[in-house]
Amino acid sequence: MSTDPADVTAYRASAHDAGEVGRLLHDFNTEFETASPGVNVLTGRLQSLLAGPSTIAYLIGHPAEGVALVTLRSNVWYDGPVALLDELYVRPHRRGHGLGTLMIDQLLADATASGISAIEINVDESDVDAQRFYERHGFSGRDPSTGERAFYYALEL
Amino acid sequence: MSTDPADVTAYRASAHDAGEVGRLLHDFNTEFETASPGVNVLTGRLQSLLAGPSTIAYLIGHPAEGVALVTLRSNVWYDGPVALLDELYVRPHRRGHGLGTLMIDQLLADATASGISAIEINVDESDVDAQRFYERHGFSGRDPSTGERAFYYALEL
């Protein structure tokens, strides 16, 4: 990968970038030993999702070395939509160079400009580095009045 | 409230029920000393949201004594949408009679029938009763392989 600074600008992916997004998400899950439906299935879904209004992806690098995936939903407590940062991944050899920060900064700027009311993330208990990273970017994992955590629960159907 | 069993069937709210849903959500936040934009603002938003495909509410009782609010989003890891149970509330004098269970059961049945892939919930750390309630209904708050929690982080914009 070039070290040209122009190469390390985060940019919003279009449906044409579905293959690069799918490849990075697949490699993410493979690295962390999580099941993946495979690059082809992910790419097919992303071609459809990225063409719609509710899924946003950021890429960084040419070829892309990092991805952020965001989905939007309505929320009765806010005027604007709420964004969930589903995934943030940077390839191992490119970590520690601020690529995650560049993608988060772009997300925050775009979210503010487009009237998104809040951004949410689910972070694993043991992933203290990620917790610190998000705290540095203004996210809070504790209720401001009680200091308590919120736990994420799920049921697959 | 009548004790006629016909009165305690959970039913899906339409946009015409926005006022009842908004009143219950406002009372929920007031009871737990959380800010609310007020019944009128909530009702206005719900009239629009409940007319669309991505926000679902269940009510129970006539007049309604409980509400469940659900929003849908796309997710690249699944074929179908993912549902987030944003709120589940039963009026204090009606608690302990299984109204929450009736709403959850209806949600699970409808979600399965409509191809929803997963249901997610954020539960406060101290709300052990809610954690037990959701665990009884099949939800898990821990990673099945590591046993660890996922924490919910948020940033309001």
Side-chain angles (χ1 to χ4, degrees):
Chain A
M1 181 176 174
S2 161
T3 52
D4 180 343
D7 258 10
V8 289
T9 302
Y11 58 98
R12 185 160 165 179
S14 76
H16 298 292
D17 301 312
E20 279 204 297
V21 175
R23 162 65 62 188
L24 281 159
L25 292 176
H26 175 78
D27 291 350
F28 184 10
N29 273 19
T30 302
E31 181 184 339
F32 291 97
E33 297 177 2
T34 302
S36 165
V39 176
N40 288 347
V41 169
L42 291 171
T43 299
R45 286 180 187 155
L46 286 159
Q47 281 168 342
S48 162
L49 292 173
L50 291 173
S54 301
T55 302
I56 297 167
Y58 293 96
L59 292 169
I60 194 161
H62 302 280
E65 308 267 18
V67 65
L69 185 72
V70 178
T71 49
L72 304 181
R73 64 184 178 88
S74 58
N75 186 303
V76 73
W77 302 112
Y78 297 109
D79 265 331
V82 170
L84 181 70
L85 178 62
D86 290 287
E87 313 293 347
L88 180 68
Y89 178 64
V90 173
R91 290 202 183 280
H93 71 287
R94 292 291 293 161
R95 287 179 201 154
H97 295 89
L99 273 62
T101 289
L102 288 168
M103 290 190 285
I104 288 286
D105 285 347
Q106 192 63 50
L107 166 61
L108 291 175
D110 289 356
T112 302
S114 65
I116 288 173
S117 294
I119 304 176
E120 305 178 320
I121 317 171
N122 296 311
V123 187
D124 287 343
E125 182 175 4
S126 66
D127 199 351
V128 176
D129 286 346
Q131 292 168 36
R132 264 197 296 252
F133 173 83
Y134 292 122
E135 286 162 10
R136 273 204 310 275
H137 289 86
F139 290 82
S140 171
R142 295 182 183 277
D143 184 294
S145 54
T146 64
E148 70 176 317
R149 297 274 188 191
F151 296 150
Y152 167 86
Y153 273 70
L155 169 62
E156 294 195 346
L157 298 176
Chain B
M1 180 176 172
S2 161
T3 54
D4 180 342
D7 258 9
V8 289
T9 302
Y11 57 98
R12 185 160 165 178
S14 75
H16 298 292
D17 301 311
E20 279 204 296
V21 175
R23 162 64 61 188
L24 281 159
L25 293 176
H26 175 79
D27 291 350
F28 184 9
N29 273 18
T30 302
E31 181 183 340
F32 292 96
E33 296 176 4
T34 302
S36 165
V39 176
N40 289 345
V41 168
L42 291 172
T43 298
R45 287 180 188 156
L46 286 159
Q47 282 168 342
S48 162
L49 292 173
L50 292 173
S54 301
T55 302
I56 297 166
Y58 293 96
L59 291 169
I60 194 161
H62 301 279
E65 308 268 20
V67 66
L69 185 71
V70 178
T71 49
L72 304 180
R73 64 184 178 90
S74 59
N75 185 303
V76 73
W77 302 113
Y78 298 108
D79 265 332
V82 169
L84 181 71
L85 179 61
D86 290 288
E87 312 294 346
L88 180 68
Y89 178 66
V90 173
R91 289 202 185 281
H93 70 285
R94 293 291 294 160
R95 286 179 201 155
H97 294 89
L99 273 61
T101 289
L102 288 169
M103 290 190 284
I104 288 287
D105 286 348
Q106 192 63 50
L107 166 61
L108 291 176
D110 289 356
T112 302
S114 66
I116 288 174
S117 293
I119 305 176
E120 304 177 320
I121 316 171
N122 297 311
V123 187
D124 288 342
E125 182 175 5
S126 67
D127 198 351
V128 177
D129 287 346
Q131 291 169 36
R132 264 198 297 254
F133 173 83
Y134 292 122
E135 287 162 10
R136 274 204 308 277
H137 288 88
F139 290 82
S140 172
R142 295 182 183 276
D143 184 294
S145 55
T146 65
E148 71 177 314
R149 296 275 188 193
F151 295 149
Y152 166 86
Y153 274 70
L155 170 62
E156 294 194 348
L157 298 176

